Structure formats: C-alpha cells, structure tokens
Amino acid sequence: MEILSERGTELLQDPVPGYLVPKIAIQNCCCTIYFLVMWQNTTSIEYYTRHSAQDLSQQEGKHLFKFSKENMIKLAHEE
C-alpha cells in the first residue's frame, strides 16, 4: 500500500483507469494484486473477470480478486 499511496496523484491522473496499478506493481517486483469489490458493483466484477482476475471469495458481500504476474503484464500492456 505504501507504494500506491506515494503514487496516488499519478493514479488519479491515469487516462485509462486500471492500467497504471499493474504497471506500478510490476515495476516494484510485485507478483500479485489483491483487492476487494463490493458485490453490488457488477460492472467492476465483470471488468476484472474479463481481464483474467480470479474471484477468490464471495463472502460477506465482497469479491476478493487476484491478478497473477502474467495477467498483470497483459493488462498493463492493453492500453
């Protein structure tokens, strides 16, 4: 989280939302990205699923997703 908080302004200025996070993760030698999506946010769930994120849980009204390094690289280059 520290890496992303330092880059917050850059993330907000990203012209293609969602592509900068995997780029930053890869540059910082991260192997996975974990994040939560509220169950009501079906648009995001469909987006992440379409881009190879794994839905790890559906407990407590949240979906926990994971991108592997391979899929982060794919997503980061889809601009």
Side-chain angles (χ1 to χ4, degrees):
M1 292 303 261
E2 182 178 322
I3 294 166
L4 294 181
S5 64
E6 293 172 7
R7 310 276 306 262
T9 303
E10 186 178 353
L11 289 172
L12 291 173
Q13 295 172 350
D14 185 14
V16 184
Y19 294 104
L20 190 56
V21 173
K23 284 183 182 178
I24 293 170
I26 292 164
Q27 291 169 354
N28 287 278
C29 301
C30 295
C31 294
T32 52
I33 299 172
Y34 289 92
F35 53 97
L36 295 173
V37 179
M38 296 300 293
W39 67 269
Q40 303 98 322
N41 193 346
T42 56
T43 303
S44 290
I45 292 168
E46 291 167 4
Y47 172 84
Y48 295 127
T49 303
R50 189 170 55 248
H51 286 86
S52 304
Q54 299 171 329
D55 189 350
L56 300 178
S57 70
Q58 294 181 349
Q59 300 171 10
E60 299 179 25
K62 296 181 178 87
H63 294 267
L64 176 62
F65 286 94
K66 169 189 159 186
F67 276 114
S68 67
K69 185 170 185 176
E70 177 183 312
N71 289 323
M72 285 191 303
I73 292 168
K74 287 180 192 175
L75 184 59
H77 290 90
E78 280 190 12
E79 296 182 49

